[in-house]
Amino acid sequence: MSDPFDETICDRNVSSPPGAARKTESSILLVIIAGSEVDFGRHFVLEKEEATIGREDGSDIVLHDEKISKAHCAISVVKGGRGVERIDIRDLGATNGTFVNGEPVSRATLTAGDKIRVGDTILQLSYGDQIEREYHARLFQLAARDALTGLYNKRYVLNEAENHFRIARRSGRTFSMIMIDIDDFKRINDRHGHLAGDEYLAGMAGVLARSLREQDIAGRVGGEEFLVILPETGLEGAFQLAERIRKNTEAFTLYRQDAGIRATISCGVCQYDQTLAAAQEFIDAVDQALYEAKNSGKNMVRQALLSGLENEGQ
């Protein structure tokens, strides 16, 4: 059977003639070209013999699309003596079906350039070297990252909050969120200028990133406001982490020629509860806890208990 990637794959076992340019090592890629804006530009390297696509953890490729089934479809890379012999896709009984180039399929063989639609997401099969992989990664970073701080931007982190909320409602998994606001940030801008304020925000983002675990998701959602999503974390763990962030921020100093700039933060913490009807209600609860921390003297953590009770720490 002919190799669907004959035009791109080179045989690593064949020596090139002297002076001939050798091709850069390439990979089989799936690139998101349409669908969720926060996913646009993401790419996945097909390294396993079979990779599943779905909307929840457990799939090899997890997509942010409510119309995708938990286990939607699978892509198999079949190898022979010459390398990749063919690439197959098969539907796993998905509610909304799997489409290749606009046609519904239960099983099909793919070629480079084919477009796969699952839910509202379209992925294109391609073949790329390290340069192309970096290009697609850069596209995704530009779409998802805040330019000033390097943290995720508001659109991305709020979308992640929605995704984690849906997963928690379906699976019963717990997660928590922390809302953070820099106390009296306007004073930094007024005393030292907006450039200093921007430098402090970038420094604060570094403090935040160093305080978090690998699985935590942090984003800038306002001028000096940040939201942190903590998967598989209860209220006590979230409170302890918020306290660590608060103390690390209190100890942080931005040194400039004219002065050392220091500030404090206030934090609101909340754990997911099944009584919540929507992700926005959850965000409102953690934001209200932040508001209470501000009104109670700043530089503290308030945790919102959905029963209406609140505890504070300092």
Side-chain angles (χ1 to χ4, degrees):
M1 184 174 292
S2 63
D3 186 343
F5 290 92
D6 265 343
E7 296 180 358
T8 357
I9 294 180
C10 60
D11 190 341
R12 303 293 186 272
N13 298 319
V14 177
S15 299
S16 300
R22 291 185 62 84
K23 295 184 180 180
T24 306
E25 184 177 354
S26 299
S27 302
I28 302 168
L29 307 178
L30 280 179
V31 182
I32 297 178
I33 61 172
S36 169
E37 290 185 1
V38 298
D39 274 341
F40 180 76
R42 284 178 70 196
H43 75 278
F44 308 91
V45 180
L46 297 181
E47 298 176 312
K48 300 170 62 176
E49 289 185 2
E50 181 170 282
T52 57
I53 297 176
R55 72 165 187 260
E56 290 191 358
D57 294 342
S59 295
D60 298 297
I61 298 174
V62 179
L63 300 178
H64 301 137
D65 187 334
E66 189 66 13
K67 293 183 180 179
I68 293 175
S69 298
K70 292 180 181 180
H72 197 101
C73 62
I75 297 181
S76 302
V77 179
V78 181
K79 295 184 178 180
R82 297 182 60 239
V84 177
E85 183 175 302
R86 69 179 191 275
I87 299 173
D88 294 336
I89 186 170
R90 76 177 191 280
D91 184 79
L92 297 176
T95 302
N96 294 316
T98 300
F99 296 78
V100 175
N101 299 326
E103 297 294 328
V105 298
S106 58
R107 184 184 294 267
T109 295
L110 302 172
T111 58
D114 280 349
K115 297 177 179 63
I116 303 160
R117 179 164 67 82
V118 288
D120 289 331
T121 303
I122 299 177
L123 305 99
Q124 186 169 45
L125 186 70
S126 67
Y127 203 80
D129 58 18
Q130 181 62 28
I131 294 174
E132 285 189 89
R133 293 197 295 271
E134 291 175 358
Y135 167 74
H136 290 299
R138 181 61 176 161
L139 277 182
F140 175 66
Q141 293 299 319
L142 288 172
R145 295 285 182 178
D146 174 62
L148 176 61
T149 64
L151 300 175
Y152 288 113
N153 58 31
K154 180 178 180 179
R155 181 178 58 187
Y156 184 90
V157 76
L158 292 183
N159 189 81
E160 281 295 303
E162 290 272 3
N163 291 330
H164 280 78
F165 185 86
R166 286 195 294 264
I167 291 171
R169 293 204 74 174
R170 284 194 295 261
S171 66
R173 295 180 184 176
T174 189
F175 80 104
S176 297
M177 294 196 292
I178 305 171
M179 189 76 78
I180 300 169
D181 188 83
I182 301 174
D183 297 326
D184 302 312
F185 182 72
K186 183 176 183 297
R187 190 178 301 170
I188 295 177
N189 286 330
D190 291 344
R191 288 183 178 181
H192 305 283
H194 288 276
L195 181 59
D198 287 349
E199 290 178 9
Y200 186 86
L201 284 171
M204 168 62 197
V207 172
L208 183 56
R210 290 189 296 271
S211 303
L212 300 178
R213 305 163 301 178
E214 184 177 354
Q215 67 266 34
D216 299 332
I217 302 165
R220 183 184 178 203
V221 294
E224 63 271 14
E225 195 168 60
F226 305 87
L227 180 65
V228 182
I229 301 169
L230 308 173
E232 309 290 343
T233 305
L235 187 60
E236 182 178 353
F239 182 85
Q240 292 174 356
L241 178 57
E243 271 291 293
R244 181 162 74 245
I245 296 168
R246 184 189 67 79
K247 291 176 181 177
N248 290 345
T249 303
E250 198 172 28
F252 168 67
T253 302
L254 172 67
Y255 292 101
R256 305 188 86 240
Q257 291 182 349
D258 57 341
I261 302 173
R262 301 183 66 180
T264 61
I265 59 171
S266 297
C267 305
V269 177
C270 189
Q271 176 184 327
Y272 167 78
D273 187 276
Q274 291 185 343
T275 61
L276 293 165
Q280 187 57 54
E281 189 176 337
F282 190 4
I283 293 169
D284 290 343
V286 73
D287 195 46
Q288 179 61 32
L290 169 63
Y291 179 80
E292 293 295 330
K294 287 284 192 183
N295 281 352
S296 299
K298 303 176 183 178
N299 192 24
M300 65 175 61
V301 179
R302 281 276 188 149
Q303 54 188 41
L305 303 181
L306 298 177
S307 61
L309 301 176
E310 295 171 343
N311 296 319
E312 69 177 80
Q314 186 171 353

